[in-house]
Amino acid sequence: MTQTAPASAGAEAAPPSPFTHREIMVTMSGLVIAMLLAMLDNMIVAPALPTIVGDLGGLNHLAWVTTGYILASTVATPLWGKLGDLFGRRVTFLSSITTFLVGSALCGASQNMDQLIGFRALQGLGAGGLMVGVMSVLADIVPPRDRGKYQGVMMAVMPVAMIGGPLAGGFITDHLNWRWAFYVNLPLGVVALTVCWFVLAKLPRKDAGPVRIDWLGAALLSIWIVALVLITSWGGSEYDWDSGMILGLAVLTVVAFVGWVFFARRAAEPIIPLSVFSSRNFSLAGALSFVVGFAMFGGVTFLPQFQQYVQGSSATNSGLLLMPMMIAAMVFSLAGGTIVSKTGRYRALPILGSVLMAAGLALFATMDIDTSRTMTSLYMVVLGAGMGCLMQTTMLIAQNSAPVRDMGAATGAATFLRNMGGSLGVSILGALYTNHLTDSFKHSLGSAASAAKSGGTVAQMTPAVLRSLPEAVQHAFKVAVSDGIDAAFTLGAAAAVVGVVISLFITHVPLRGFAAATAAAEKPAVEAEAV
């Protein structure tokens, strides 16, 4: 049964973008460099993490190297998106690049784990504006109906970032110093700043006038996000679940969240307009983005641990061994974008993607110390294919469901939900991984004396240190890493199954052109359900 709204029908016949193809491509050159900058960071850092935590001393803080970055990015993303709506994309985008570069330089100079986590948070504040800026600018110059073919151009950066990033990160760790995993951002960032300074000048400027920023909403949003992630990070490890600290954080989370919702309904320019969630498709796409973030960041963060500790790969090789997942993600994303551009239909992609993602995570949960690299690569292909079907499609659905005047805020909200999933995913999966690893390692050693002698190396274990230990200790640690990985991916697979259910409720709303998008600024498009 199909219901069709006049506005939706008009969307199919909407005029093309007011920007010429040449103007779009020139503008996109700056966006591609900025996207490369954002993607390269996590890809380069992931293979270096085992060496970083060993050098600075802190396996217990492993998850926070990534969580601090993702958390800050999550908090900043909706704010950057809203500032872009208010002040224009150019000034906010260039500011986010500058913040990211300052954070990168300080990360490379870190002398201990606390400094690294803090500077990663600063880096994350800038990164929050990179991806939302890229997506918002693209939404400004290309209507959803034509966006698929241009997203194909944007996806050309994926092989460089997702394959070259881990390879470069591993090479830097093995042959230079892990600090260059952060310093490498600086020359690329200077190029991005220079190019974007000129090409983004083509974007329309906002009219001068009084601007009201919802700082109270931004503060309340930040408080409940940080408190929630601290609960998932500390609960059951640093503090008991019924401790005063955890219960206090739970109360703070609820109070700040309720306060944020209350004031968001009354603010003139809320950071995240709650009206965008009145669209069923936007809400479903946002929920699916949350699940994608939960799974995606978990996979990239913890797979190198298994490859280096259990399978004996070097940092360089572990980065290279992520290629099957990255190539599969790229191929399926490009193919999906082409299909959407030609047919205007997208509903099958989130369903297929969520099923493949759940299957890939479930396969990873079956790994043990005897799992071959070939099987690991096959599992990566399945997970990568799922990610490729979901990453761009969920954003496209969200943008197609939002009015033009709130495009930046809506893009920020969708990115926020994906990053929030990543923050909680890395935090929760990291806690599971560390706890199971530590418990299994102590249990496998067999005696308290051995645990006292060798257990102290857990927090400062690097692949090089592991190879220097007795065979029995090496085997115990490999089993422990495998147990930790299995626990983390089992929970990830369960979350992905929820994503499958969510995807089934997404309905098909014809992708609109700029004319329909403008009309939607006054009244949200009526959704069309296709069965």
Side-chain angles (χ1 to χ4, degrees):
M1 180 177 181
T2 303
Q3 297 175 341
T4 306
S8 296
E12 294 291 350
S17 168
F19 293 84
T20 67
H21 176 72
R22 182 179 181 278
E23 288 174 332
I24 292 173
M25 295 304 295
V26 170
T27 304
M28 285 181 61
S29 66
L31 303 184
V32 166
I33 296 174
M35 178 173 281
L36 180 63
L37 187 67
M39 286 187 173
L40 270 178
D41 185 71
N42 269 334
M43 298 297 103
I44 288 179
V45 171
L49 279 178
T51 300
I52 291 174
V53 297
D55 186 19
L56 298 182
L59 176 63
N60 292 335
H61 301 296
L62 166 65
W64 274 102
V65 176
T66 302
T67 300
Y69 176 90
I70 299 174
L71 182 59
S73 177
T74 301
V75 170
T77 292
L79 183 58
W80 284 115
K82 188 61 180 181
L83 291 176
D85 287 338
L86 297 176
F87 295 104
R89 311 291 180 214
R90 184 171 183 251
V91 63
T92 54
F93 197 39
L94 293 175
S95 298
S96 67
I97 295 175
T98 302
T99 304
F100 179 84
L101 294 181
V102 172
S104 297
L106 292 174
C107 283
S110 299
Q111 299 301 309
N112 55 57
M113 189 62 76
D114 290 337
Q115 289 183 8
L116 178 61
I117 292 172
F119 295 145
R120 281 284 280 172
L122 177 61
Q123 191 184 30
L125 289 177
L130 295 181
M131 293 305 296
V132 70
V134 168
M135 295 301 175
S136 297
V137 171
L138 189 61
D140 274 355
I141 64 177
V142 182
R145 185 63 178 86
D146 299 328
R147 204 168 294 159
K149 58 185 177 183
Y150 290 105
Q151 282 181 337
V153 177
M154 294 295 293
M155 297 313 295
V157 75
M158 287 187 65
V160 178
M162 292 189 167
I163 298 173
L167 183 60
F171 179 84
I172 288 171
T173 303
D174 287 340
H175 301 287
L176 297 174
N177 186 292
W178 61 263
R179 298 181 187 278
W180 283 98
F182 299 103
Y183 291 148
V184 73
N185 290 328
L186 302 182
L188 185 63
V190 170
V191 174
L193 272 176
T194 303
V195 174
C196 290
W197 176 270
F198 292 103
V199 301
L200 296 187
K202 294 180 177 292
L203 291 177
R205 291 176 171 81
K206 297 295 181 180
D207 295 332
V211 174
R212 302 173 65 181
I213 300 175
D214 182 21
W215 293 114
L216 177 59
L220 291 171
L221 179 69
S222 302
I223 290 171
W224 74 257
I225 291 172
V226 172
L228 180 59
V229 174
L230 288 177
I231 291 173
T232 60
S233 299
W234 290 348
S237 56
E238 299 288 334
Y239 302 94
D240 292 332
W241 285 105
D242 59 353
S243 67
M245 176 63 76
I246 298 301
L247 294 177
L249 287 171
V251 172
L252 181 61
T253 300
V254 173
V255 172
F257 178 79
V258 172
W260 170 68
V261 172
F262 177 82
F263 287 107
R265 291 181 179 276
R266 290 158 178 78
E269 292 289 349
I271 298 300
I272 299 180
L274 298 184
S275 59
V276 298
F277 292 98
S278 63
S279 166
R280 174 184 174 184
N281 262 13
F282 184 92
S283 298
L284 291 171
L288 193 54
S289 293
F290 180 92
V291 174
V292 171
F294 194 100
M296 180 174 65
F297 287 109
V300 172
T301 300
F302 298 107
L303 276 176
Q305 301 283 313
F306 184 84
Q307 292 170 322
Q308 292 184 41
Y309 286 122
V310 178
Q311 297 181 329
S313 302
S314 66
T316 300
N317 287 338
S318 69
L320 190 61
L321 290 172
L322 290 175
M323 284 178 61
M325 182 169 64
M326 305 310 178
I327 293 176
M330 178 194 67
V331 170
F332 275 75
S333 183
L334 284 169
T338 301
I339 291 172
V340 170
S341 181
K342 289 183 176 180
T343 67
R345 307 193 70 83
Y346 52 79
R347 187 170 181 265
L349 288 177
I351 297 174
L352 175 62
S354 56
V355 169
L356 289 173
M357 184 173 66
L361 291 169
L363 290 172
F364 279 126
T366 67
M367 296 191 303
D368 55 34
I369 60 174
D370 296 320
T371 301
S372 67
R373 294 181 182 179
T374 300
M375 292 305 298
T376 304
S377 297
L378 292 176
Y379 299 165
M380 287 185 196
V381 170
V382 178
L383 179 59
M387 290 164 51
C389 290
L390 289 168
M391 285 189 296
Q392 300 300 324
T393 308
T394 51
M395 180 61 70
L396 181 64
I397 294 171
Q399 290 181 334
N400 191 54
S401 305
V404 171
R405 70 174 302 273
D406 290 328
M407 186 59 65
T411 302
T415 308
F416 159 77
L417 289 169
R418 184 180 65 189
N419 289 347
M420 191 65 191
S423 296
L424 294 177
V426 172
S427 177
I428 295 172
L429 297 181
L432 271 178
Y433 171 74
T434 301
N435 290 337
H436 278 74
L437 187 157
T438 303
D439 293 343
S440 177
F441 184 50
K442 291 180 178 179
H443 177 75
S444 297
L445 288 176
S447 70
S450 295
K453 182 177 179 180
S454 301
T457 65
V458 173
Q460 297 178 324
M461 186 73 73
T462 66
V465 171
L466 180 62
R467 288 191 292 270
S468 68
L469 296 175
E471 184 65 30
V473 177
Q474 289 189 42
H475 183 269
F477 193 80
K478 290 179 180 179
V479 171
V481 171
S482 179
D483 289 343
I485 289 288
D486 290 349
F489 280 108
T490 297
L491 181 58
V497 170
V498 176
V500 175
V501 176
I502 293 172
S503 67
L504 294 174
F505 288 94
I506 292 177
T507 57
H508 177 71
V509 178
L511 297 174
R512 65 198 183 203
F514 275 134
T518 302
E522 300 297 329
K523 181 180 180 180
V526 179
E527 297 182 353
E529 180 176 0
V531 177

